[in-house]
Amino acid sequence: MDNMDLDKIWGELGKEPVEGGLIKGQSQLKNVKSLHPLIEVRNNLRITNFWGIVISIGYIVLMILYPYWQVLLGFSVVLTFNIVFIVQGIRIRRQLPRSVDAGHSMLHEMKVHHTAVTKWIENQMYAARFVFPVAAASGFMMGGMWGSGKSLELLFTKPIFPISMLISAVLFSFAGIWLAKKMFGISYQKFLDRLQVNIDLLEQRSQEQEE
């Protein structure tokens, strides 16, 4: 089926009789036009990118306040991670439509954006397994200096310090990954699930039209 046929189907979805506040025959269609999940994802990307920039600025400030090479190395890794995914998030958001209508060849567009956002989230969660331990260790060293008023060289002369740092890095990494999954679930997963429902329904509808 060509794009004109799919666009026609998309347009007809909003013209069908309404029963009980739902489009007849499409009760699972989640607010297709007024609150399309693509628009929700676009809005949430703006918030995610904003806080990513704020956090990155915070890392830069900490690097200036604690210019020890161990802290600089650790926070540089985390900052690089942040910048890469902020840039990717901005690029994905720019590609998402500001509004949804029949002229977008919607089935193909929804599939492309669903894949892009899902991959972006998966890449972040994968990278977090390596970045979070570095961030936790850097934060532990910074906290040790701030709390004790001693240099890292003196702190590392005590065997308990590196052992505590490793344990804290492991614990905070697991906690950070769990929290990141929860946050992505709240901010994106429910909208991606709704988007997948709409994709499935449009595919089903196009198959019915072909038959």
Side-chain angles (χ1 to χ4, degrees), residues 68-82:
Y68 293 86
W69 72 265
Q70 297 94 334
V71 176
L72 292 176
L73 178 61
F75 282 152
S76 294
V77 171
V78 180
L79 183 60
T80 301
F81 166 82
N82 266 18

Side-chain angles (χ1 to χ4, degrees), residues 19 21 46 74 85 118 126 130 174:
E19 293 184 356
R46 177 180 59 188
F85 286 105
T118 301
Y126 179 79
F130 306 98
F174 278 112

Side-chain angles (χ1 to χ4, degrees), residues 48-117:
T48 300
N49 292 334
F50 169 78
W51 283 111
I53 293 171
V54 171
I55 292 171
S56 296
I57 293 173
Y59 282 130
I60 294 173
V61 171
L62 292 175
M63 291 166 69
I64 294 173
L65 294 176
Y66 297 91
Y68 293 86
W69 72 265
Q70 297 94 334
V71 176
L72 292 176
L73 178 61
F75 282 152
S76 294
V77 171
V78 180
L79 183 60
T80 301
F81 166 82
N82 266 18
I83 292 174
V84 167
F85 286 105
I86 288 170
V87 171
Q88 291 182 353
I90 292 173
R91 178 178 56 81
I92 292 174
R93 184 174 183 273
R94 286 179 176 176
Q95 293 173 348
L96 289 170
R98 293 178 179 271
S99 61
V100 179
D101 55 47
H104 276 74
S105 301
M106 286 309 303
L107 182 56
H108 172 73
E109 181 134 345
M110 287 193 293
K111 285 182 175 180
V112 168
H113 294 313
H114 185 282
T115 299
V117 176

Side-chain angles (χ1 to χ4, degrees), residues 7 40 58 70 89 93 99 146 157 164 185:
D7 289 344
E40 300 282 5
Q70 297 94 334
R93 184 174 183 273
S99 61
W146 179 79
T157 59
S164 299

